[in-house]
Amino acid sequence: MDGKRKRKLSVAIITFNEEKNIGDCIRSVESIADEIIVLDSLSTDRTKEIATSFSKVRFFEAPFPGHVEQKNKAISFCQNDWILSLDADERANDVLQQSISTFLEAEEVKCDGYKIARLTFHLGRWIRFSGWYPQRRFRLFKKENASWIGENPHDFIELKSGSIGKVMRGDILHYSFSDFSHQITTINQFSSIVAYTRYAKGERFSLFKTIVKPFGKFLEIYIFKFGFLDGIPGLWIALASSFSTYLKYAKLYELDNLKLERPSNIRKDYGKK
């Protein structure tokens, strides 16, 4: 490790069946990380084999209680004061790698976390509108001053009260969907998680919201967040977002009226500690 560095960095990644992504994710941060924590939720593919082939990786396994809970668990395994958190389908681009390297070498740091923009590749192009970019969130943060919160699966880092945050140059490159079918599969899964989480908190089906909110979501993405500037992919994103909103309420109806224990596409270990 470069002797100029004034602080050490842990990279935290959670995985489940990510053999197609995990290698590229690790390679994008290998030069700037002192350790890379991979917390896997019992993958059945080659995720473990690929991850452990990198010398800086410390590999852990645990059941998947939820995105927020699993990411906080990954943080707990990190040995350094500063943490960069990535998903397996994300990469640090060259500008971000250089920005983090400069940060690690700085004599003094007067903040507790850095927001980083995320740029998503979808349907053959980088999506720069539709509410998908820059979508800055805290991803580089001081361990003692931050934690993951939010409604699963839509998690985010919150800094402790009084903490100072800044924006870092560079992008996290997000390869979220291999194609539109993959996006629909993800929407189906994530809407189940949201409905399941909300139902457990006491929310119940609303016909009014089921009708109105999907239409409002389309207008938000396509018109007010300039999705039309993303071309045909922007239209598909707006329609898919509207459909996702509808599914959340439709699945609340199922849970409320059919008395299901959980939607059938949620893993049985979901929610277990």
Side-chain angles (χ1 to χ4, degrees), residues 127-135 220-221 225-227 230:
I127 305 300
R128 297 188 176 275
F129 301 95
S130 304
W132 281 22
Y133 187 79
Q135 208 175 49
E220 174 193 344
I221 298 298
K225 293 185 176 178
F226 305 103
D230 284 316

Side-chain angles (χ1 to χ4, degrees), residues 131-156:
W132 281 22
Y133 187 79
Q135 208 175 49
R136 294 186 180 94
R137 299 289 186 271
F138 287 111
R139 290 299 198 90
L140 177 63
F141 49 87
K142 205 167 186 178
K143 180 178 179 179
E144 64 182 16
N145 286 0
S147 61
W148 285 96
I149 64 169
E151 179 186 61
N152 284 322
H154 304 297
D155 46 51
F156 59 94

Side-chain angles (χ1 to χ4, degrees), residues 81-94:
D81 291 338
W82 282 89
I83 299 171
L84 173 67
S85 183
L86 293 177
D87 290 336
D89 59 2
E90 296 176 336
R91 326 273 184 263
N93 75 354
D94 292 343

Side-chain angles (χ1 to χ4, degrees), residues 8-126:
K8 292 185 177 182
L9 178 69
S10 297
V11 176
I13 308 166
I14 66 169
T15 57
F16 176 68
N17 287 347
E18 291 286 358
E19 64 180 8
K20 294 181 179 179
N21 288 313
I22 190 60
D24 288 338
C25 179
I26 292 171
R27 277 186 283 272
S28 77
V29 295
E30 195 175 17
S31 65
I32 57 175
D34 292 274
E35 66 167 4
I36 300 171
I37 302 301
V38 176
L39 175 56
D40 185 70
S41 50
L42 311 178
S43 290
T44 56
D45 66 357
R46 296 177 59 245
T47 297
K48 181 176 182 178
E49 175 188 343
I50 296 169
T52 55
S53 69
F54 293 88
S55 61
K56 291 184 179 179
V57 167
R58 296 172 59 223
F59 190 87
F60 301 88
E61 295 176 296
F64 188 72
H67 291 78
V68 171
E69 296 83 357
Q70 195 80 333
K71 289 184 178 181
N72 280 324
K73 184 183 286 291
I75 286 175
S76 73
F77 291 130
C78 294
Q79 296 179 330
N80 298 310
D81 291 338
W82 282 89
I83 299 171
L84 173 67
S85 183
L86 293 177
D87 290 336
D89 59 2
E90 296 176 336
R91 326 273 184 263
N93 75 354
D94 292 343
V95 175
L96 179 56
Q97 291 176 40
Q98 183 56 53
S99 296
I100 293 176
S101 181
T102 300
F103 153 79
L104 295 173
E105 296 171 4
E107 289 292 337
E108 187 176 6
V109 174
K110 296 183 178 180
C111 72
D112 304 288
Y114 289 89
K115 289 185 176 181
I116 303 173
R118 185 172 75 166
L119 180 61
T120 299
F121 189 81
H122 185 41
L123 297 174
R125 68 187 293 172
W126 294 106

Side-chain angles (χ1 to χ4, degrees), residues 194-255:
V194 171
Y196 178 69
T197 301
R198 291 181 181 179
Y199 189 76
K201 292 180 178 178
E203 184 171 345
R204 296 298 181 261
F205 169 73
S206 165
L207 180 60
F208 177 78
K209 290 181 179 180
T210 306
I211 296 171
V212 172
K213 282 191 171 289
F215 181 67
K217 178 58 69 172
F218 177 84
L219 292 178
E220 174 193 344
I221 298 298
Y222 196 65
I223 304 298
F224 300 115
K225 293 185 176 178
F226 305 103
F228 59 88
L229 295 178
D230 284 316
I232 292 298
L235 177 60
W236 284 185
I237 289 168
L239 288 169
S241 297
S242 176
F243 180 56
S244 174
T245 301
Y246 155 72
L247 284 179
K248 293 169 188 175
Y249 291 102
K251 290 174 182 180
L252 270 177
Y253 175 84
E254 277 192 318
L255 292 168

